[in-house]
Amino acid sequence: MLIAAGADVLGARRRWLPGLVSAVLAAYPRAPFDRPRELGRWIAQSAELTAAAEQAAAAGRHLVLVRHALYEIPAAHGAGAAGERPASSGAEVLAREPASRRPRTPADLARLLGLDAGELDWFADLRGWNRLAPGTKLHHYRYEWRSRPGRVPRLLEVPGQRLMYLQRQLIAEVYTDLPVHPAAHGFVSGRSAITGAAVHAGSHVVIGMDLTTFFARVTRGQIHAGLCRQGWGEALVPILAGLGTHAVPPAVIRAMPPGGDPGERQALAAALRIPHLPQGAPTSPLLANLAMHRLDERLTGWANAVGARYTRYADDLTFSGDTRLAARSDAFIRGVEAIVTDSGQRINPRKTRVRPRGTSQRVTGIVVNEHPAMDRHAYDRLRAILHNCARTGPEAQNRDRHPHFRLHLLGRINWAIALTPERAPGLWRLWDAIEWTD
């Protein structure tokens, strides 16, 4: 029946048509009635159709549709009528595809992840069964509430060992070409808190704003929309979004410890009840940048309107500019709040900071008055600790009882050097004078 339908569309039964039909049936054992565009793209990129188009072009002919088709044939296999584009080679078609190993069907994704179809459905959990499962053994995540004095508690949602492994596979083998807006500096290869802070160095005024309950407010629908914009297949998008999002069980939400005002607690509980990015999943930062791409575009445009600059490091928004921004900072902040609210996020008003020149201007904790640098008091404290470690021993200086105090100090030294490389010789001299017992 499919061969007959294809012959009807093409006006004749082509020799390559049975091979194409066999390939379609192998890729789609069940008819994708709800995914016609995906099927159309798959056929357009198939080896059988590509080879047929190349052979026809070599003979000076083109593939022509004589009857209405359900799917649009791309320009790569265009007809030869007047005004239509000539056929392209299969290599040119593939060159326009992303370089990542994109699976095309749920079966492809399952094979890539080493799962069968049932396991893939179980981990994607599109029907929300996991949220309502009794007990904890069937849950994909473990939960840990973190109390914060005077603030709403934070919930860590840590994937189980197998789901964590699957999410890391997605990062390494599937999500290799997701777009990242130039303003995003958090969780991006080649960018960091330092690169984000450097954008704002030497500014007349620096405005810092924070998003509250950032990951919990990135919904499955936003991830779904972001993946669709990147051309992922209609069958794969829900599964990929399901593997990266999660709804918290009611019992965990009821166990929320005290902290924060009632409105904030209610908003957090509402966000956790629906599928969202879990804080603790390795895929969450990457998918958050994907979902925030449109917000980053809008905030960049808003900043450009007054000659300002904008960067985002996870949930930290920073704007900087000259006297134009300083003169209308209140109106500018109201505009940012409106754009952020429209995106589904929310500004924490208690953390909005306007820092003019002459005050300590900071971006993600980094001083940027002239160039990115460590806060002077923090640097002096680090030197004092190193000096006292050499004088009285490291154990006496480990007042916060860090389990890995030596590595903790090394991290602080490397951070100070990354910000101000010329401080390296003095800090390493202090470090070399310490006698470690382990």
Side-chain angles (χ1 to χ4, degrees):
M1 186 172 67
L2 289 178
I3 295 175
D8 189 49
V9 168
L10 295 167
R13 176 167 171 164
R14 306 299 182 184
R15 283 181 296 178
W16 48 265
L17 191 55
L20 175 60
V21 169
S22 297
V24 169
L25 291 175
Y28 292 90
R30 287 178 286 186
F33 294 113
D34 58 337
R35 309 191 302 278
R37 290 187 299 276
E38 176 190 316
L39 179 59
R41 286 192 296 268
W42 191 95
I43 292 174
Q45 297 162 5
S46 66
E48 291 76 12
L49 187 58
T50 299
E54 291 174 344
Q55 290 176 4
R61 295 180 284 103
H62 301 284
L63 301 183
V64 179
L65 305 183
V66 300
R67 294 186 185 275
H68 173 72
L70 290 175
Y71 319 110
E72 176 186 357
I73 298 296
H77 305 298
E84 295 186 349
R85 298 170 184 168
S88 302
S89 69
E92 290 171 332
V93 174
L94 294 176
R96 292 194 290 269
E97 284 296 293
S100 67
R101 297 172 55 190
R102 273 198 177 186
R104 299 183 183 278
T105 66
D108 291 341
L109 181 61
R111 282 192 296 270
L112 180 64
L113 298 178
L115 305 174
D116 59 36
E119 289 174 319
L120 184 63
D121 287 344
W122 168 245
F123 284 111
D125 192 29
L126 299 185
R127 299 188 181 182
W129 290 329
N130 194 255
R131 176 175 182 266
L132 302 177
T136 59
K137 291 185 178 180
L138 295 177
H139 289 168
H140 293 324
Y141 290 79
R142 61 179 176 84
Y143 308 95
E144 182 180 341
W145 282 105
R146 297 283 182 89
S147 296
R148 301 184 292 176
R151 301 168 61 190
V152 175
R154 174 179 293 150
L155 179 64
L156 292 183
E157 305 162 67
V158 182
Q161 184 174 1
R162 194 171 183 197
L163 180 56
M164 177 86 76
Y165 176 75
L166 295 177
Q167 291 173 337
R168 286 174 174 160
Q169 275 188 285
L170 290 173
I171 294 172
E173 302 186 54
V174 178
Y175 293 143
T176 58
D177 61 349
L178 291 183
V180 180
H181 194 276
H185 287 260
F187 319 113
V188 181
S189 177
R191 306 181 204 173
S192 65
I194 298 175
T195 62
V199 172
H200 306 285
S203 299
H204 187 86
V205 64
V206 175
I207 299 175
M209 306 175 75
D210 280 20
L211 304 176
T212 183
T213 58
F214 173 56
F215 285 115
R217 291 179 180 274
V218 180
T219 66
R220 180 176 293 176
Q222 290 175 309
I223 303 302
H224 191 288
L227 291 171
C228 282
R229 285 194 296 269
Q230 299 311 308
W232 287 88
E234 298 168 25
L236 275 181
V237 166
I239 295 173
L240 290 171
L243 289 171
T245 56
H246 173 63
V248 176
V252 176
I253 297 175
R254 289 196 295 268
M256 185 190 304
D261 65 55
E264 291 176 327
R265 294 173 62 83
Q266 184 178 5
L268 175 60
L272 295 176
R273 287 191 189 99
I274 64 175
H276 61 278
L277 290 182
Q279 185 165 343
T283 46
S284 289
L286 180 148
L287 292 176
N289 280 337
L290 173 68
M292 293 296 101
H293 197 279
R294 176 59 178 156
L295 174 62
D296 289 336
E297 285 182 340
R298 295 181 66 186
L299 291 179
T300 298
W302 183 245
N304 288 342
V306 292
R309 296 169 293 276
Y310 160 69
T311 62
R312 179 178 59 82
Y313 189 90
D315 57 354
D316 287 332
L317 314 180
T318 306
F319 305 88
S320 64
D322 54 22
T323 54
R324 286 178 293 171
L325 178 62
R328 54 171 300 180
S329 60
D330 289 343
F332 182 85
I333 289 171
R334 287 195 297 271
V336 172
E337 290 173 342
I339 293 171
V340 167
T341 301
D342 186 57
S343 76
Q345 291 288 328
R346 180 180 175 186
I347 293 291
N348 183 347
R350 292 192 294 271
K351 288 194 171 184
T352 296
R353 308 161 297 277
V354 180
R355 291 171 171 147
R357 182 175 293 166
T359 65
S360 180
Q361 296 175 328
R362 299 168 185 249
V363 177
T364 58
I366 300 171
V367 178
V368 295
N369 289 70
E370 297 180 4
H371 53 77
M374 178 181 276
D375 172 75
R376 182 69 198 184
H377 296 296
Y379 176 67
D380 289 343
R381 283 196 301 271
L382 174 60
R383 285 181 54 87
I385 291 173
L386 294 173
H387 175 78
N388 290 332
C389 280
R391 188 171 61 86
T392 63
E395 186 64 27
Q397 297 305 309
N398 188 10
R399 292 167 184 166
D400 294 330
R401 314 316 303 168
H402 286 285
H404 305 288
F405 186 55
R406 185 173 184 171
L407 294 178
H408 169 73
L409 281 183
L410 273 174
R412 292 175 65 176
I413 290 172
N414 284 318
W415 176 247
I417 292 172
L419 289 169
T420 314
E422 55 268 26
R423 288 174 170 170
L427 289 174
W428 289 128
R429 278 195 299 271
L430 291 171
W431 172 262
D432 291 339
I434 301 173
E435 294 186 7
W436 298 94
T437 58
D438 55 345

